Amino acid sequence: DAKTTQPNSMESNEEEPVHLPCNHSTISGTDYIHWYRQLPSQGPEYVIHGLTSNVNNRMASLAIAEDRKSSTLILHRATLRDAAVYYCILGSGGSNYKLTFGKGTLLTVNP
Amino acid sequence: DGGITQSPKYLFRKEGQNVTLSCEQNLNHDAMYWYRQDPGQGLRLIYYSQIVNDFQKGDIAEGYSVSREKKESFPLTVTSAQKNPTAFYLCASRRTGSNEQFFGPGTRLTVL
């Protein structure tokens, strides 16, 4: 399975933008890039996903490198509620679609 | 409200006992998944099912069993063969054609 590499932790200040990086140098042509986040003792929550083009939704933006070997999750204005573990995940499998989670990045947001 | 329910939130069992974790969804999703999470780690896939009466092993299926007799239910049994069963267990579901998985609140299993 293709793997991702993320920093163990990052810190941000409230109301500032946050850029969470992810490397996935062994990504295959059919792998989607997903981002989920998880609060302590809760299930993960979907944030965003993409294949080749940059994506925007109400929660965040996803910037995907042209060679698809890296991507960046962008939170435009961090709030205290954005403090969580953020997972960058490659999804694959066609009809047997499944996700392979890594350890993620612990984001701390300072007031 | 549609969603995924897992019960109970906390579960305690004695070593050597089998235990079944419940996962129910009313989202009308075809695919369902079971993950295990250990402290400070990411999620690892135990079993998944794309359709009723069919399921596949994930990355760490040894010591676990599942059934998928109904679309809305995907119970996970942790057997006595699982050497280190204490963990946080998460169930998820996905609509066919979508890439988004919806997760339940999880069950924290402690084997004493």
Side-chain angles (χ1 to χ4, degrees):
Chain A
D1 288 336
K3 295 190 183 301
T4 61
T5 304
Q6 300 176 252
N8 290 332
S9 62
M10 290 186 64
E11 204 166 319
S12 174
N13 296 320
E14 200 174 7
E15 297 190 3
E16 290 184 357
V18 181
H19 291 232
L20 296 164
C22 180
N23 288 320
H24 27 79
S25 58
T26 59
I27 190 171
S28 73
T30 57
D31 286 339
Y32 281 81
I33 301 159
H34 294 255
W35 285 83
Y36 282 74
R37 69 182 185 182
Q38 185 179 26
L39 296 171
S41 297
Q42 294 187 24
E45 173 190 28
Y46 168 86
V47 178
I48 200 166
H49 80 279
L51 184 62
T52 56
S53 304
N54 294 345
V55 185
N56 300 296
N57 67 20
R58 63 175 179 81
M59 290 182 70
S61 295
L62 176 60
I64 302 172
E66 197 170 332
D67 63 4
R68 298 209 330 125
K69 294 184 176 181
S70 65
S71 61
T72 302
L73 179 71
I74 303 165
L75 306 179
H76 295 286
R77 289 181 70 229
T79 70
L80 297 179
R81 288 182 296 179
D82 291 323
V85 176
Y86 285 79
Y87 295 100
C88 171
I89 304 157
L90 301 183
S92 61
S95 59
N96 282 330
Y97 203 84
K98 59 179 183 176
L99 304 175
T100 303
F101 284 75
K103 293 185 179 181
T105 296
L106 174 62
L107 175 65
T108 301
V109 180
N110 299 316
Chain B
D1 289 336
I4 301 176
T5 56
Q6 292 184 246
S7 59
K9 190 172 179 63
Y10 298 96
L11 190 55
F12 297 88
R13 280 294 182 270
K14 293 183 179 180
E15 191 173 348
Q17 291 181 334
N18 291 355
V19 60
T20 297
L21 279 58
S22 166
C23 177
E24 304 279 331
Q25 54 98 1
N26 60 4
L27 299 167
N28 200 32
H29 288 175
D30 286 307
M32 297 187 74
Y33 305 80
W34 272 107
Y35 294 89
R36 168 186 173 135
Q37 187 173 32
D38 293 288
Q41 304 296 313
L43 281 66
R44 292 185 289 168
L45 183 63
I46 305 173
Y47 267 98
Y48 61 107
S49 168
Q50 301 293 341
I51 198 168
V52 173
N53 293 322
D54 186 53
F55 48 83
Q56 288 82 40
K57 293 182 178 180
D59 301 318
I60 55 165
E62 186 176 350
Y64 299 97
S65 66
V66 293
S67 63
R68 188 81 189 280
E69 297 177 1
K70 297 186 297 183
K71 187 175 185 177
E72 58 269 24
S73 179
F74 191 39
L76 173 75
T77 297
V78 184
T79 75
S80 56
Q82 168 52 231
K83 294 179 181 178
N84 188 16
T86 294
F88 188 44
Y89 290 88
L90 288 153
C91 179
S93 70
R94 178 181 65 86
R95 177 177 55 81
T96 300
S98 170
N99 293 339
E100 180 180 352
Q101 289 189 18
F102 290 81
F103 284 83
T107 292
R108 191 168 299 279
L109 173 65
T110 302
V111 176
L112 307 171

